[in-house]
Amino acid sequence: MTARSKTTTTRTRTAPRKVAAVRTKTRTARRAAPPGLSHDVIRIAALALIDEDGLADFSTRKLGRVLGCEAMAIYWYYPSKEALLDAVVDQLMMRVAAVVSGRAPIDWIGALRDVAHAYRGLAHDHPKAFPLLATRRFASESTYAFLEELFELARRQGIEDRITARFYRVVSSYCSGFALNELATLHGPKDPGIAALRRRYTRVAAVSAWLEPRHLDETFEFGLELQLAALAGAPGAAPMEQRR
Amino acid sequence: MTARSKTTTTRTRTAPRKVAAVRTKTRTARRAAPPGLSHDVIRIAALALIDEDGLADFSTRKLGRVLGCEAMAIYWYYPSKEALLDAVVDQLMMRVAAVVSGRAPIDWIGALRDVAHAYRGLAHDHPKAFPLLATRRFASESTYAFLEELFELARRQGIEDRITARFYRVVSSYCSGFALNELATLHGPKDPGIAALRRRYTRVAAVSAWLEPRHLDETFEFGLELQLAALAGAPGAAPMEQRR
DNA sequence: CCGCCACCTTTACACCGTAAAATACACCCG
DNA sequence: CGGGTGTATTTTACGGTGTAAAGGTGGCGG
């Protein structure tokens, strides 16, 4: 059960993965070089594979192939594919968590804004993997640690828990939904029949012109700032001074 | 290619599906009664099956079983499982579309509010199927017709296309994300380790208390009204009078 | 009566997640 | 040095999946 505990083996990642056919010249060179797996190596490769092939085509067997091992080897580290995907989610959230760690305990609104941007950034950098985030529950150690930090920041500013909860939920929902919409229109199937539809439904076409990629940023900012402004003006948030 | 056209067979749905072993007493009663499939019957059964078993366990073979036919029979009506799921999405959206059809051409804000509520209602009535909506692009005939009606309503009120697009995107993103969050926390896996996490991360626990199911409605309304209020006050929306 | 055609079944294939068992290797203890 | 122990990985196997391809079957218009 070493793998499931926190201990990582001393010699991790032997560099040139995937060769697997070479033989070590150490004594008793019977088998091909062992894959040298670990939690980290596996979930990073998993994310990379999802980024490349897409979620639907991701399989443990393919992952094993790029890892230079059999599919079942993965199961020694993760009990199931589901669990592995949870770990991938964690991996993604690390980037979001980084924006609040070590931040000065002022300006919770600014922190929330940065988190929102980082979250949407994930959708852009990992469009194929992002839907994982939207469906899964954040119930891991690291995401809890991240939230703890974020909420602690709010408390230090004197924001009531009720207000914190409310705005966190509203803002995170908005970001999640917006990014998902974005991905669906940008990376969805390039349906040629859509042009015909647009021709018959003129109002949809006219309004959709304002949802083109080049307006997405401004639309996102608009909605986000709308919510953050409400937070700034909410009773129970920030002592008294609030920029005008 | 009759099935792919608009014509539906005259005698649809013979009632007691799934028996399939009975024989008609009509002349030449060689084979068991034919399944009597149709686009409608299939996609309604598909939705019901997803509601019951969940998305991950939904398969064409199981669907065939409840339909009293072989899995491949479905492929005569829908070219792929993907296409069938798109049809299921359409089926779900019909309920949302219903709230704007035949509505008086005043009060676009009210219409948007009702659409938002109907959308969230879907998540509650079809929690297992709802994630389909969030990921897929709305590019079908019927959803376009729905949007056309919604946007036409806005135009009749003199709201600029830019404003319409902006608020539609913001509100729909919010609803989508909120509902997804809701489902993840409500119907997600009942992890027992979560209690331990909560004990160690006290701020998360305190704030999460305000995200309990009984506060969800009020939180949703808060965020929604926040956005609708901004719409009411936006330049380019509504002629001049706006309540107070 | 025949042949077409809508509808459905049969068969087949490649692939999937993963339980269970076998196997290989590093290491410690005698 | 020899064997046991435990960690890491492969092998084998099973039941399931989406769907291509081909084969039936029955009603209907000629």
Side-chain angles (χ1 to χ4, degrees):
Chain A
M1 274 164 205
T2 304
R4 293 226 59 87
S5 72
K6 281 289 141 50
T7 71
T8 51
T9 56
T10 56
R11 47 102 187 84
T12 47
R13 89 195 57 182
T14 54
R17 204 155 308 291
K18 182 171 204 178
V19 284
V22 305
R23 313 200 152 223
T24 57
K25 58 160 73 173
T26 68
R27 79 182 91 174
T28 71
R30 275 275 173 66
R31 223 173 22 175
L37 302 176
S38 77
H39 283 108
D40 283 349
V41 170
I42 291 175
R43 83 174 172 216
I44 287 172
L47 176 54
L49 187 54
I50 291 171
D51 279 340
E52 200 166 335
D53 285 7
L55 210 45
D57 289 348
F58 171 75
S59 77
T60 56
R61 288 169 143 104
K62 278 197 191 124
L63 180 56
R65 223 169 291 144
V66 336
L67 242 25
C69 69
E70 295 304 312
M72 286 311 292
I74 292 157
Y75 285 76
W76 200 86
Y77 296 88
Y78 294 96
S80 68
K81 186 186 183 187
E82 275 306 278
L84 171 55
L85 291 179
D86 282 344
V88 169
V89 166
D90 254 42
Q91 172 83 11
L92 286 170
M93 284 301 288
M94 282 179 55
R95 242 184 56 185
V96 178
V99 316
V100 295
S101 72
R103 174 184 274 264
I106 54 166
D107 192 20
W108 190 61
I109 294 181
L112 205 50
R113 175 168 25 233
D114 289 355
V115 166
H117 284 139
Y119 196 72
R120 186 163 94 111
L122 278 188
H124 294 151
D125 294 348
H126 303 277
K128 308 253 187 76
F130 188 82
L132 280 176
L133 295 184
T135 316
R136 268 145 214 282
R137 184 173 193 184
F138 294 165
S140 73
E141 179 83 27
S142 57
T143 55
Y144 259 61
F146 154 62
L147 289 179
E148 182 81 2
E149 210 161 356
L150 185 63
F151 294 161
E152 171 65 13
L153 226 58
R155 194 193 59 83
R156 292 248 196 107
Q157 263 201 281
I159 301 176
E160 295 174 12
D161 286 351
R162 190 170 135 273
I163 302 299
T164 302
R166 184 171 267 191
F167 279 92
Y168 167 72
R169 194 58 165 243
V170 167
V171 169
S172 69
S173 295
Y174 170 69
C175 293
S176 179
F178 193 97
L180 240 34
N181 272 349
E182 228 173 336
L183 294 181
T185 62
L186 259 63
H187 302 269
K190 53 209 88 235
D191 194 336
I194 191 178
L197 274 178
R198 286 276 230 277
R199 222 168 299 120
R200 291 194 295 121
Y201 294 100
T202 59
R203 299 260 59 240
V204 177
V207 172
S208 296
W210 293 99
L211 297 175
E212 296 270 300
R214 77 173 183 285
H215 294 119
L216 281 179
D217 282 4
E218 110 185 63
T219 303
F220 177 74
E221 299 300 332
F222 171 78
L224 177 60
E225 293 304 329
L226 192 152
Q227 287 154 194
L228 295 181
L231 172 54
M240 53 218 64
E241 100 299 0
Q242 204 64 33
R243 50 132 61 155
R244 134 188 168 68
Chain B
M1 274 163 201
T2 303
R4 292 224 60 87
S5 72
K6 283 288 142 54
T7 71
T8 52
T9 56
T10 57
R11 45 106 186 80
T12 48
R13 87 194 60 184
T14 54
R17 204 156 307 290
K18 185 174 202 177
V19 284
V22 303
R23 310 195 156 228
T24 59
K25 59 160 70 172
T26 68
R27 78 182 91 174
T28 70
R30 275 275 172 64
R31 228 183 6 187
L37 302 177
S38 77
H39 284 108
D40 283 349
V41 170
I42 291 175
R43 82 174 174 220
I44 287 171
L47 176 54
L49 188 55
I50 292 171
D51 280 340
E52 199 166 336
D53 286 6
L55 211 44
D57 289 347
F58 171 74
S59 77
T60 57
R61 287 169 144 102
K62 278 197 192 121
L63 180 56
R65 223 168 291 142
V66 336
L67 241 26
C69 67
E70 295 304 311
M72 286 310 292
I74 293 157
Y75 284 77
W76 200 84
Y77 296 88
Y78 295 96
S80 69
K81 186 187 183 185
E82 275 306 278
L84 171 56
L85 291 179
D86 282 344
V88 169
V89 166
D90 254 42
Q91 171 83 11
L92 286 171
M93 284 301 288
M94 282 180 55
R95 242 184 57 184
V96 179
V99 318
V100 295
S101 71
R103 175 184 273 264
I106 53 167
D107 192 19
W108 190 61
I109 295 182
L112 204 51
R113 174 166 26 229
D114 290 355
V115 167
H117 285 138
Y119 197 72
R120 186 162 92 112
L122 278 188
H124 294 151
D125 293 349
H126 303 277
K128 310 252 186 75
F130 188 82
L132 281 177
L133 295 184
T135 316
R136 268 144 215 280
R137 184 173 190 185
F138 294 165
S140 72
E141 178 82 28
S142 58
T143 55
Y144 260 60
F146 155 62
L147 289 179
E148 182 81 2
E149 209 160 359
L150 185 63
F151 294 161
E152 171 64 14
L153 227 59
R155 193 194 59 84
R156 293 248 195 105
Q157 264 202 281
I159 301 176
E160 293 175 15
D161 286 351
R162 189 170 137 275
I163 302 299
T164 302
R166 185 171 265 191
F167 279 93
Y168 167 72
R169 194 60 164 239
V170 167
V171 170
S172 69
S173 295
Y174 169 68
C175 293
S176 180
F178 194 97
L180 240 34
N181 271 349
E182 227 173 337
L183 293 181
T185 61
L186 260 61
H187 303 268
K190 52 209 91 233
D191 194 336
I194 192 180
L197 275 178
R198 286 276 230 277
R199 221 168 299 120
R200 291 195 294 122
Y201 295 101
T202 60
R203 300 260 58 240
V204 177
V207 172
S208 296
W210 293 98
L211 297 175
E212 296 269 301
R214 76 173 183 286
H215 294 118
L216 281 179
D217 282 3
E218 108 183 67
T219 303
F220 177 74
E221 299 300 332
F222 172 78
L224 177 60
E225 294 305 328
L226 193 152
Q227 287 154 195
L228 295 181
L231 171 54
M240 53 218 64
E241 99 300 1
Q242 203 66 31
R243 48 128 65 158
R244 135 183 169 68

